Amino acid sequence: MVENIVFGIGITALAGALAAVAGAAEDTESDIGSQGDPNSQVQLAPQMGFIHRIFNKAVAGEPPAYGLWCALGAGLAWIFLIKDINPILALILGATIATFVQGVYATSGYLGRTASLAKFGQPVYIDILKSMLSVTMAHAFVAIFTTVAMCYLMNAVLGHPFPLPILGLIWGIALGAAGSATGNPFYGKERQYQNQKFGAGVPISASGNIVRYAEAGQRNSLDNGWFSAKLGGPASGICFGLIVFLELWRTILFEHIAAGWGAIIVGLAVILVFVVIDRWVEVYARKNYGPYTVAEEASS
Amino acid sequence: MTAQITVTEGGIPHNTLMIYGLISSLVGIYLTYLNTVTGTQLFSFFGGLGAVAALIWGSSTIKRLCSYGIGTGVPSAGMLAFGSGVIAMLLATKFGIASPIVALVLGLVIGAILGYIANNILAMKIPVMIQSIAELAAVGALVMIGFTAMTTGSFTFSPLSVIPVTVLGATVNSFGTSLIGGGLLAAIFMLGSIALQHGFNACLGPSEKQDRTLMLTAEVGFLSMLMVAIFSFAFIGVGAMIVSVLISAIGWYYTYAQYITLSKRDAAAWLDSKPIVEAEGH
Amino acid sequence: MSALGAAKPAAGGAIDPVSSVVGLVLAVIFIGIVFVLAPAALFPLLGIILGGVLIGFGVHFVPVGGAPAAMGQAPGIATGVAMLAAGAGLAGLFGGAWAAELGVVVATVTGAIGGGLMMAVTCLMVNVIYVFGMGIPAASGKVTKDPLTGDTQAEYKSQGTEGHGLPFISFVGGVVGGLFGGGGGTLIYLMLLQVYEQYLPVIFNAKVEEIMPVAVSLAGIFAIGLFLVNAVLAAYNITGTIEGPHDPKFKRFPRAIVASLVASALCGLVAILIVVVNLNI
C-alpha cells in the first residue's frame, strides 16, 4: 500500500514535469507561429498600412488546435500499442506523425491568410515559411510528445478509466487553454507592442501598429519566440504543470481518505490558497504601481 | 480592435455546393458497402472520400454563417457541428444499412433544433442560422460516419464496439480494442472538426476566393483522411490499408499543390528573402 | 465585429417568451419519449439536463476577454470562452471520471473541484503575468468598484483601454465557472455511464466488466460532445466575451439556461436512445 502510494507520487511528479515542459513548448510554439488571439494584430497590421514579416498561422485557437494534435498523437499511439509496438516507440511515432499534420496546417494557415490580405499589399514571404516552420514543428513535437506521454502514464500506470485518445483530447484542450491564457498577453502586449508604454495596456487607437523592425534588420517570428520563451513560455509551463500535478496529487494521496471526500477537501484548500495568493498579487500591483490617472505622487 | 470578417461574393452558389456535397458524401459512404458485397476490405477508402465531400459542403456553410458575425470565433462553429454530429452519428450506427441516411436526417433534425435554440431563444437573429447549424450538424455526422467506415470498413454499431479475437483457438469478444471502446472516436472527432473550420478560418480576409478556400478544405480533408488511413492499420488488412493510404496521399498531394498554386495566384506578391515592402504613405 | 453588423443580438437579457415556451415544450416531449421507451433512464436524463444547465450557467462566470485581452485592451483571459470553459470542464471531467466508483455525489463534487482548481491556477498565472511580467495592475472596465473587495477600478485603467487583467471578482468568477463546468460535465458522464452499464450487457450478451471500455468511451465522448454544444451556445449568448458575474452581459443567463435545458434534453435523449433502440440489423 505504502509502496503503491510512493510509486503513484513518483508518477505524479513525472506527469507534472512532463506537463510543465509541454506548457512551455506549447506557448513558445504558438508565439513563433503566431497563433490565437494575439494573431489578430498580425492580421490587422497590413490593413493599417504596416506590412510585416511575422508568421500568420491561423489554425483555430490554441485549445482546439492542441486538442487535435494531442488527440491525434494519442490516437496514433493507441493504434501502434494495439499492434504490439513498444510503448516508447508508439508514443514517438504518434507524436511525429501528429507534428507532420501540425506543420501542414501551419503552412496552409500562413498562405491562406496572407494571400487573402492581397488587397492591402501584404506579400507572401516564402522564406518565413522555410525558416520558421521547422522551429514551430520542433516545439510542437515537444509539446505533443510530452502530453501524450503524460496521458499514457495516467492511463497505463495510474489506471484512469478513459482510453488514451480521449485523454489526449481532454489534456490537449486543457493545455491549449492554459498556454493561451497565460502566454497570450505576454506575446500580444509585451512583444508585439514593445513600442508602447510599459506598464499599461495598448491603447485601442494603436491597434495594428505592431513592431516590425528588430534591433538590427527586420523582426520575424523567431525573434518573438526568443522573447516569449523567457517568460511567457515558462509561465505557461508552470501553469499547466501545476494543473496536472495538483489534480493527480490530490487524487493519488487523498482519494482513499473519507470515501473520496479527502481529495475534495484538499482540492478546496488548494483553491483557497490560490485565491489568497491572487488577492496578494492584485494588492501588490495596486500598491506598488499605483493608479494611472490620479495626479498625486501615488505611483512613486 | 481586431480585423473584420469579410466575405467575398461570387463563385459556385452555396445551394449547388450543398447538393453536390450531400450526394457525393452519401454515395461515397455507401460505396464502402462494397466491402460486404465483395467480402474484402479494399473499398473502405470510399468512406474517407465521402467525408471529404461533406467537409467541402460544410466549409461553404461555415463561410455563409460566419459572414454574419457570430460573436465568437469561426472554430466554435466547427465544435458545435461535431459536438452534435457525433451524437447523431452514434445513434445512426444502430440502423444497419440505413445508417448514413439516418445520420444525415438525424443531424439535420438535431442541428435544426440547436439552430432554433441559438437563433430564437438566445436571440441571435441571424437569418441563415437554423439552416446553417442544421447543415453543419449533418456534415458532422456524415464526416464521422465516413471516417469511421474508412477506419473499420463498416458503419454499424456492433463492429465498431466489438472485435472478435481468437485466443488459444477460442473466439472471445474484445471491447477495449474496438473503435468506440478505444476512444479513437475522439481523434476522428478532432480531425473532422478542425478540418471543417480550417478552410474558411485560414483564408478569411478581404481577398478571400471561394476556389482557394474550398481547395484548402479539400487539402485538410485529405490530410485527415490520410491519418484515418493510418488508424485503419489496427482494424482492416494491410492490403486495404495500403490502398487507403495511397489514395489519401495522392489526393492530399494534388490538392496541396493546387492550393499553393492558387495562393500564388491570389497573393499580392510571392517573395523569397526580401525585405518589408513598405506601403505607400508610411 | 461583423462586416454586416446588422445582426447584433439584443443587448438586454430579455427572454423571447414564444420561443422559450416552444423550447420548453420540446424538452418536455424529449423527456416524455424517454419516459415511454426507457423509464429506467428517466432520472439519468434529468441528471444530464441538470449537468447541461450547470455548464451553460457556468460559462457566464468565466472571465474571457478574447483578442483585446491579449493586448491588455480589455479585462479577462485572452482566449476563446467556449474553449477555455471546455479546458476547465474537461479537466474536471478527468477527475470526476476517475472517482466514478465512489458514487454520484462524491464524483460530481470531485469533478467540480477539478474544474475549479484548473481555473484557479490559470487565473492566478494570468494575473502573475500581467503584474510581474508586464507591470500592469488589474482593472475592470464594466464596474467602478469591485463588488467583492470594494476596490475602485477606474483609475487603474490605463489610457485608451477598457481595463486589463483579472480583478478579484473576475478571478472568483473564473473559479466558480470552473466549478460549475467541471461538476456539470462529470454529472453528464456519470448519468450516461449508469445508463450504458445497465443496457450494454444485454445488447452484447456480455458481463458488465467486459463492456466497460465501450460504456466509458461512449459516455466520455457524449459528455465531451454535450459539453461543447452547451459551451458554444452559452458563448453565443454572451457574444464571445464577458468579464465575469459583475458584467451586465451576465444578466442574459436566464435564456442560456433555457437553451441549455432544451439542448441537453435533446442530446441526452439521442444518447440514451442509442442503447434503447435495438433493431438487430
Side-chain angles (χ1 to χ4, degrees):
Chain A
M1 184 67 192
V2 175
E3 264 179 26
N4 266 349
I5 288 181
V6 171
F7 182 66
I9 290 294
I11 296 295
T12 302
L14 182 56
L18 285 172
V21 176
E26 189 273 348
D27 183 58
T28 313
E29 188 272 330
S30 74
D31 291 351
I32 293 174
S34 189
Q35 186 175 9
D37 288 330
N39 193 46
S40 62
Q41 304 306 299
V42 175
Q43 175 77 14
L44 181 66
Q47 195 173 342
M48 300 288 158
F50 302 105
I51 306 297
H52 58 75
R53 280 170 51 87
I54 310 283
F55 209 119
N56 182 348
K57 183 179 72 164
V59 189
E62 289 164 56
Y66 270 85
L68 170 59
W69 316 146
C70 295
L72 179 59
L76 291 163
W78 182 83
I79 293 288
F80 296 131
L81 286 169
I82 290 281
K83 283 296 186 182
D84 287 328
I85 292 177
N86 174 300
I88 305 269
L89 189 60
L91 294 176
I92 291 177
L93 272 177
T96 308
I97 301 174
T99 308
F100 162 75
V101 174
Q102 185 265 355
V104 174
Y105 267 94
T107 56
S108 58
Y110 176 73
L111 290 178
R113 282 278 172 107
T114 313
S116 290
L117 284 171
K119 188 180 165 195
F120 305 121
Q122 169 74 36
V124 170
Y125 290 104
I126 204 70
D127 58 305
I128 289 186
L129 274 187
K130 290 181 198 162
S131 54
M132 264 147 255
L133 188 63
S134 51
V135 186
T136 64
M137 284 174 73
H139 282 87
F141 175 79
V142 174
I144 298 166
F145 174 72
T146 45
T147 310
V148 176
M150 176 189 94
C151 295
Y152 177 74
L153 288 178
M154 290 170 180
N155 176 272
V157 183
L158 298 180
H160 194 279
F162 281 170
L164 196 53
I166 294 187
L167 284 178
L169 172 62
I170 288 179
W171 286 114
I173 290 180
L175 167 65
S180 58
T182 312
N184 274 356
F186 194 65
Y187 166 53
K189 194 269 144 183
E190 204 61 13
R191 184 58 177 171
Q192 284 184 337
Y193 288 100
Q194 227 165 357
N195 51 0
Q196 302 293 323
K197 259 189 285 186
F198 178 79
V202 178
I204 293 171
S205 56
S207 291
N209 184 13
I210 58 173
V211 178
R212 301 170 299 142
Y213 291 92
E215 294 87 335
Q218 302 179 341
R219 182 181 279 187
N220 64 32
S221 287
L222 291 180
D223 300 326
N224 288 347
W226 166 87
F227 180 84
S228 62
K230 292 181 176 174
L231 186 72
S236 304
I238 291 177
C239 180
F240 191 56
L242 275 178
I243 292 168
V244 171
F245 176 76
L246 290 173
E247 181 67 24
L248 294 179
W249 173 79
R250 76 182 175 102
T251 310
I252 296 287
L253 267 192
F254 303 101
E255 190 170 42
H256 298 287
I257 298 172
W261 288 101
I264 292 169
I265 292 164
V266 171
L268 208 56
V270 173
I271 291 177
L272 287 178
V273 169
F274 279 111
V275 172
V276 172
I277 299 176
D278 175 75
R279 180 66 191 148
W280 176 79
V281 169
E282 196 190 343
V283 171
Y284 174 91
R286 290 174 73 90
K287 261 196 203 147
N288 287 283
Y289 305 159
Y292 292 101
T293 46
V294 179
E296 298 160 11
E297 292 178 315
S299 61
S300 54
Chain B
M1 186 171 174
T2 51
Q4 293 184 328
I5 295 178
T6 48
V7 172
T8 47
E9 300 294 324
I12 311 168
H14 172 73
N15 286 344
T16 317
L17 260 176
M18 173 173 78
I19 291 164
Y20 282 136
L22 196 157
I23 292 173
S24 17
S25 171
L26 275 182
V27 169
I29 296 167
Y30 265 114
L31 282 178
T32 59
Y33 206 72
L34 285 175
N35 280 345
T36 318
V37 175
T38 58
T40 61
Q41 294 167 321
L42 289 173
F43 301 100
S44 305
F45 69 87
F46 277 115
L49 293 180
V52 174
L55 283 173
I56 293 174
W57 160 27
S59 180
S60 174
T61 311
I62 286 208
K63 177 176 162 183
R64 189 156 172 249
L65 173 64
C66 290
S67 64
Y68 284 90
I70 49 177
T72 181
V74 177
S76 71
M79 290 294 151
L80 184 62
F82 274 74
S84 47
V86 66
I87 295 171
M89 167 266 179
L90 276 169
L91 178 56
T93 57
K94 300 283 283 190
F95 288 84
I97 179 76
S99 294
I101 289 179
V102 175
L104 173 72
V105 174
L106 261 179
L108 285 173
V109 170
I110 294 178
I113 296 176
L114 290 179
Y116 178 80
I117 292 171
N119 198 41
N120 293 44
I121 298 182
L122 295 180
M124 291 187 80
K125 304 271 192 296
I126 294 177
V128 298
M129 189 83 187
I130 296 179
Q131 191 199 339
S132 298
I133 300 282
E135 285 178 31
L136 287 175
V139 167
L142 284 176
V143 171
M144 297 282 298
I145 207 163
F147 279 151
T148 306
M150 181 173 173
T151 311
T152 60
S154 163
F155 47 65
T156 48
F157 188 67
S158 292
L160 302 182
S161 321
V162 195
I163 290 183
V165 184
T166 314
V167 182
L168 301 172
T171 307
V172 285
N173 282 335
S174 169
F175 292 91
T177 57
S178 64
L179 181 102
I180 292 178
L184 202 57
L185 225 42
I188 294 178
F189 180 97
M190 289 311 293
L191 278 175
S193 58
I194 301 290
L196 174 63
Q197 56 81 31
H198 187 64
F200 181 62
N201 189 47
C203 286
L204 65 84
S207 311
E208 190 256 2
K209 293 261 170 37
Q210 190 196 34
D211 54 350
R212 182 158 53 91
T213 303
L214 296 184
M215 188 60 76
L216 176 56
T217 310
E219 187 259 313
V220 288
F222 277 113
L223 184 65
S224 296
M225 187 176 160
L226 183 61
M227 293 302 122
V228 171
I230 300 177
F231 287 165
S232 66
F233 181 44
F235 300 99
I236 63 177
V238 176
M241 178 202 135
I242 290 174
V243 170
S244 294
V245 168
L246 277 179
I247 288 174
S248 348
I250 291 169
W252 172 70
Y253 182 81
Y254 174 75
T255 46
Y256 195 41
Q258 284 294 310
Y259 170 68
I260 291 179
T261 313
L262 290 176
S263 300
K264 222 173 204 168
R265 179 198 72 188
D266 292 345
W270 191 269
L271 305 175
D272 193 353
S273 307
K274 294 284 184 295
I276 292 172
V277 184
E278 283 294 0
E280 281 171 34
H282 279 273
Chain C
M1 297 294 152
S2 161
L4 311 164
K8 285 274 181 263
I15 289 187
D16 181 342
V18 179
S19 57
S20 298
V21 169
V22 172
L24 290 174
V25 169
L26 278 176
V28 170
I29 293 173
F30 299 144
I31 296 170
I33 295 175
V34 167
F35 182 69
V36 172
L37 287 180
L42 180 64
F43 274 105
L45 179 65
L46 296 180
I48 292 167
I49 294 172
L50 176 62
V53 169
L54 284 178
I55 294 168
F57 183 49
V59 170
H60 290 69
F61 284 91
V62 179
V64 172
M71 276 74 65
Q73 286 176 346
I77 299 173
T79 190
V81 64
M83 295 319 289
L84 183 69
L90 298 182
L93 173 63
F94 169 85
W98 211 352
E101 72 265 30
L102 296 172
V104 172
V105 176
V106 172
T108 306
V109 180
T110 304
I113 296 285
L117 188 62
M118 190 277 184
M119 284 307 293
V121 175
T122 307
C123 291
L124 172 67
M125 289 309 294
V126 169
N127 266 347
V128 166
I129 280 280
Y130 267 104
V131 170
F132 298 118
M134 292 145 62
I136 303 177
S140 160
K142 297 277 171 74
V143 288
T144 49
K145 271 190 176 180
D146 189 318
L148 287 181
T149 59
D151 287 348
T152 50
Q153 301 292 318
E155 69 269 29
Y156 287 90
K157 207 164 64 173
S158 53
Q159 206 180 3
T161 70
E162 293 167 10
H164 24 62
L166 292 173
F168 193 67
I169 176 76
S170 295
F171 180 93
V172 173
V175 174
V176 172
L179 289 172
F180 278 123
T186 308
L187 192 59
I188 292 177
Y189 169 78
L190 293 171
M191 292 297 127
L192 284 172
L193 189 65
Q194 203 175 319
V195 174
Y196 295 151
E197 278 178 349
Q198 187 184 347
Y199 283 93
L200 280 178
V202 185
I203 292 178
F204 290 113
N205 193 18
K207 291 196 201 83
V208 175
E209 302 85 69
E210 285 180 306
I211 56 90
M212 271 314 270
V214 173
V216 165
S217 296
L218 270 184
I221 284 279
F222 277 136
I224 293 171
L226 260 164
F227 198 104
L228 291 174
V229 167
N230 279 309
V232 172
L233 285 178
Y236 286 165
N237 190 35
I238 55 175
T239 52
T241 58
I242 189 168
E243 271 189 29
H246 57 292
D247 193 305
K249 285 184 189 172
F250 184 77
K251 295 199 183 73
R252 295 182 191 170
F253 79 83
R255 65 186 189 200
I257 287 185
V258 177
S260 289
L261 194 152
V262 184
S264 308
L266 169 66
C267 296
L269 164 73
V270 178
I272 288 172
L273 281 184
I274 185 173
V275 286
V276 175
V277 174
N278 223 359
L279 301 171
N280 288 323
I281 45 177

